[in-house]
Amino acid sequence: MKHTTALLFAATFALGLTACNQPQAEKAADNIEAAGENAAAATRDAADNAAQATREAAANTEQALDNAAANTEQALDNAAAHTREAAQNTGDAVRDAAARAAQSTANAAQNVADKAQQTADKAKDAAHDH
């Protein structure tokens, strides 16, 4: 904007001087050309700066996406490990419960067998007594 204002001022000044004298008009034309070159250089610099900022933003975005992907992968790995652990714990609990139930059944069967043996012994004793 500053360069554009200078360019317009120089052009206006040059037109005013053209009517007065030729050497000053040439100098004004040179000033206008220099202002145009300065404006072009400033535009190139601004474009270069914008391109650099865009490249940096793209690199930062790529890094952020890589980090997010790694974090997501880690979270999924953790969830899978917890799921496996929970399944193993559930399996262990089921096996323990089944073992306890089997032991209780075996104990009950032993009690029944003991009672049957006692009954048989009493029957033998009663048969010998008669």
Side-chain angles (χ1 to χ4, degrees):
M1 190 62 151
K2 181 169 69 172
H3 296 292
T4 304
T5 303
L7 185 64
L8 289 174
F9 174 75
T12 304
F13 185 70
L15 287 175
L17 290 179
T18 302
C20 297
N21 85 38
Q22 190 63 27
Q24 288 181 346
E26 287 176 9
K27 185 177 179 185
D30 290 343
N31 289 342
I32 291 169
E33 184 180 350
E37 289 172 2
N38 289 341
T43 301
R44 282 191 300 275
D45 289 346
D48 289 345
N49 290 342
Q52 180 61 33
T54 301
R55 285 190 293 275
E56 289 173 6
N60 291 341
T61 300
E62 184 178 1
Q63 184 62 48
L65 289 173
D66 287 347
N67 291 345
N71 290 341
T72 300
E73 184 176 354
Q74 183 62 47
L76 290 173
D77 288 347
N78 290 346
H82 289 302
T83 301
R84 281 192 300 277
E85 184 179 346
Q88 183 176 353
N89 290 344
T90 300
D92 291 347
V94 169
R95 279 190 297 279
D96 290 349
R100 284 193 301 275
Q103 185 62 48
S104 294
T105 301
N107 290 345
Q110 184 62 49
N111 288 341
V112 169
D114 289 346
K115 293 291 182 185
Q117 184 62 47
Q118 289 171 1
T119 302
D121 289 345
K122 287 181 184 176
K124 280 186 196 176
D125 288 344
H128 287 290
D129 287 343
H130 287 298

